[in-house]
Every structure is written in structure tokens, then in C-alpha cells.
Amino acid sequence: MQKVRRSPFNLFAVHAILITYTAIALFPVVVILINSFKSRKAIFRDPLGLPDAESFSLVGYSTVFEQGDFFGYFQNSMIVTVGSLFFILLFGAMAAFALAEYRFRGNTLLGLYLALGIMIPIRIGTVAILELMVATGLVNTLTALILVYTAQGLPLAVFILTEFMRQVSDDLKNAGRVEGLSEYVIFFRLVLPIVRPALATVAVFNMITIWNDLWFPLILSPSEETKTLTLGSQVFIGQFVTDWNAVLSALSMAILPVLVLYVLFSRQLIRGITAGAVK
């Protein structure tokens, strides 16, 4: 059998497209960062210019640390994001493994049912979710946000991971069973390392959505102790007056963790997106 080789030109084209889109996506981030170090007048006078000796100012950062509990907001966002991603990847990978590995009556229907969450936004059920959280006493807790974001991210995780799970060699899994390995050992030690690029892709997509969300923190956890970073930044936005220095400074600090995680997962993300797309 002739071995199929990947075309270097196709790989170069895919990477060039990804780099181009990344540069376009990072342009607003760069604008926010440079304006966070400028005075209010300089922001409106020259929004695309770099800060100089005349326009440089740290008043926005000082306002953020003085008027808001930034570190508390940051801690809440990290707990919610990391906790949600852990459960999304764990339960999503387990469900995807079951759908891909075991054939049973209703397998296809169950997969379609889980995929409905991609087409039906979870925000439609906001009132019902709020009533459920009130009944269970989870309002103004980080647990409520973790549960909602886990439910929100599972459909996409199952949909993506199922296709990757089906590409894992059956010979590898059967060899593990012949050696006496349990299904749990096969799943955690053999299958998960192989689908790591897919896990990174799911993690990045859900991480950005969870970290930047304002809707559910405002509805479910608006108290000062449970505010996330995105919600806490809204304190500087008023009906008549907006402190743009503080807003841009808070947004800059909120963006940095996402950028760091994106860089860490970028290699796995590109592998997950391009897997099977080029020859």
C-alpha cells in the first residue's frame, strides 16, 4: 500500500492562515494594552499611538487596585474557569469514549441528543436555571457557575472528542484488554494521551467563553465575594460617566491569563484543528 504523505505546501498554507487570523484577532488586544498605559486625553486623541513621556499614565491600574478587589475577582475567575474545564474535559471525554467504543441500541440518538446543546443556547433557560439554583441554595456561589459552564461546554466537547476517539486504533485498545487492563486504565493511560490535541482544542474554546462571560455571573453570582473578573470590571462603567483608564486597565489584566494559556496550548490547538484536514 502506498503511503500517503502530507503536502508541505498545504501545511504551510494552513499555518499561514492561522497566523494571519491570529494577528487580526490580536490587534484589538494590542490596542487595549497600549491605551491602558495612556492618559484619558491621549486615549481619545491618538488611540492607535504608543504611549510616550507625555501621554504615559498608570492612573487606570492604580484605580483598579484601589476601588475594586481585583485579586479576589481574579481568584474567582480562575476557580470557575479551571473547575469548569476540568469537568468538561473529564465528563466529555468519558461520554465520547463510550459513544465511540461501545455499540448499543440508541447510540446515534444519544449522540444527537447530546449535540442538541450546540444548537440550543443555554441562556434560553436562564429563568429555569436561576429558579433551580435558588431552590438548591447555590445562588451567589462559585459552584453554581461551575455547574452551568460544565453543562454549557459538554455538548461541544462530546461532539468533537467522539470523532477523535473513533480514530484511535482498535488494535491498541484490544492489546490492552489482552494484557488484562481495565477499561478505566485503557481510557486514562492509552486513549487520553492520543487525543490530547483534541482536549487542548476543546479547552481553549471553552476557556475563552467561560473567562469572558458576563451573563451568568451577573444572574447567579452578583455578590461582591463571588464576582468574576469580567463582572468586577463593570464597576467602572457608569450610566453617565465611564472611567476608561480603569476599564482598559482591568481588561488588559483580564486578557493576559487567556493569552498565556493560549500560547501554552497553541501547538496542541493547531494539531487538533488540522488533524485529518490535510494530506
Side-chain angles (χ1 to χ4, degrees), residues 54-84:
E54 180 182 354
S55 62
F56 181 81
S57 175
L58 294 176
V59 63
Y61 290 94
S62 61
T63 302
V64 169
F65 288 109
E66 290 174 1
Q67 296 187 12
D69 185 12
F70 175 81
F71 291 107
Y73 303 154
F74 181 86
Q75 180 181 4
N76 293 337
S77 292
M78 286 297 298
I79 293 174
V80 171
T81 303
V82 174
S84 301

Side-chain angles (χ1 to χ4, degrees), residues 77-140:
S77 292
M78 286 297 298
I79 293 174
V80 171
T81 303
V82 174
S84 301
L85 289 180
F86 174 79
F87 290 115
I88 289 172
L89 295 179
L90 176 62
F91 296 143
M94 294 175 71
F97 180 75
L99 291 174
E101 183 67 16
Y102 308 116
R103 301 299 175 185
F104 54 89
R105 182 177 299 178
N107 182 295
T108 304
L109 291 177
L110 181 58
L112 291 175
Y113 173 75
L114 292 174
L116 285 177
I118 303 176
M119 298 175 282
I120 303 176
I122 193 173
R123 293 186 180 182
I124 294 178
T126 298
V127 175
I129 293 174
L130 179 59
E131 292 177 349
L132 178 62
M133 295 303 172
V134 171
T136 54
L138 293 177
V139 175
N140 285 324

Side-chain angles (χ1 to χ4, degrees), residues 2-225:
Q2 185 178 3
K3 185 177 180 180
V4 178
R5 297 181 179 179
R6 295 178 183 266
S7 171
F9 176 77
N10 289 340
L11 286 174
F12 174 79
V14 170
H15 282 80
I17 293 173
L18 288 174
I19 292 173
T20 303
Y21 277 107
T22 301
I24 295 174
L26 288 179
F27 177 74
V29 176
V30 175
V31 173
I32 292 175
L33 287 174
I34 62 177
N35 281 284
S36 67
F37 292 100
K38 295 194 296 188
S39 63
R40 183 182 179 88
K41 292 182 179 180
I43 292 174
F44 291 96
R45 183 176 63 248
D46 188 13
L48 298 181
L50 295 175
D52 53 24
E54 180 182 354
S55 62
F56 181 81
S57 175
L58 294 176
V59 63
Y61 290 94
S62 61
T63 302
V64 169
F65 288 109
E66 290 174 1
Q67 296 187 12
D69 185 12
F70 175 81
F71 291 107
Y73 303 154
F74 181 86
Q75 180 181 4
N76 293 337
S77 292
M78 286 297 298
I79 293 174
V80 171
T81 303
V82 174
S84 301
L85 289 180
F86 174 79
F87 290 115
I88 289 172
L89 295 179
L90 176 62
F91 296 143
M94 294 175 71
F97 180 75
L99 291 174
E101 183 67 16
Y102 308 116
R103 301 299 175 185
F104 54 89
R105 182 177 299 178
N107 182 295
T108 304
L109 291 177
L110 181 58
L112 291 175
Y113 173 75
L114 292 174
L116 285 177
I118 303 176
M119 298 175 282
I120 303 176
I122 193 173
R123 293 186 180 182
I124 294 178
T126 298
V127 175
I129 293 174
L130 179 59
E131 292 177 349
L132 178 62
M133 295 303 172
V134 171
T136 54
L138 293 177
V139 175
N140 285 324
T141 64
L142 299 181
T143 303
L145 295 178
I146 293 176
L147 291 175
V148 170
Y149 290 137
T150 301
Q152 174 181 287
L154 276 177
L156 181 62
V158 174
F159 180 78
I160 294 177
L161 295 177
T162 300
E163 297 302 321
F164 279 84
M165 294 288 185
R166 288 172 178 164
Q167 299 177 16
V168 179
S169 173
D170 291 332
D171 295 335
L172 176 64
K173 292 177 286 188
N174 291 331
R177 295 186 178 100
V178 171
E179 294 295 329
L181 300 181
S182 66
E183 293 298 311
Y184 292 101
V185 175
I186 292 174
F187 172 72
F188 284 107
R189 299 185 61 180
L190 298 182
V191 176
L192 283 188
I194 295 177
V195 299
R196 186 171 54 185
L199 293 174
T201 303
V202 173
V204 169
F205 286 150
N206 284 282
M207 173 190 65
I208 296 174
T209 302
I210 296 171
W211 185 270
N212 294 329
D213 186 46
L214 176 64
W215 179 259
F216 284 114
L218 181 62
I219 300 297
L220 301 178
S221 302
S223 66
E224 187 67 23
E225 294 77 14

Side-chain angles (χ1 to χ4, degrees), residues 204-254:
V204 169
F205 286 150
N206 284 282
M207 173 190 65
I208 296 174
T209 302
I210 296 171
W211 185 270
N212 294 329
D213 186 46
L214 176 64
W215 179 259
F216 284 114
L218 181 62
I219 300 297
L220 301 178
S221 302
S223 66
E224 187 67 23
E225 294 77 14
T226 58
K227 277 184 179 179
T228 59
L229 193 56
T230 305
L231 180 58
S233 302
Q234 304 304 307
V235 70
F236 305 110
I237 301 177
Q239 182 178 0
F240 303 104
V241 179
T242 298
D243 190 341
W244 290 109
N245 295 93
V247 170
L248 294 175
S249 300
L251 291 178
S252 299
M253 291 184 286

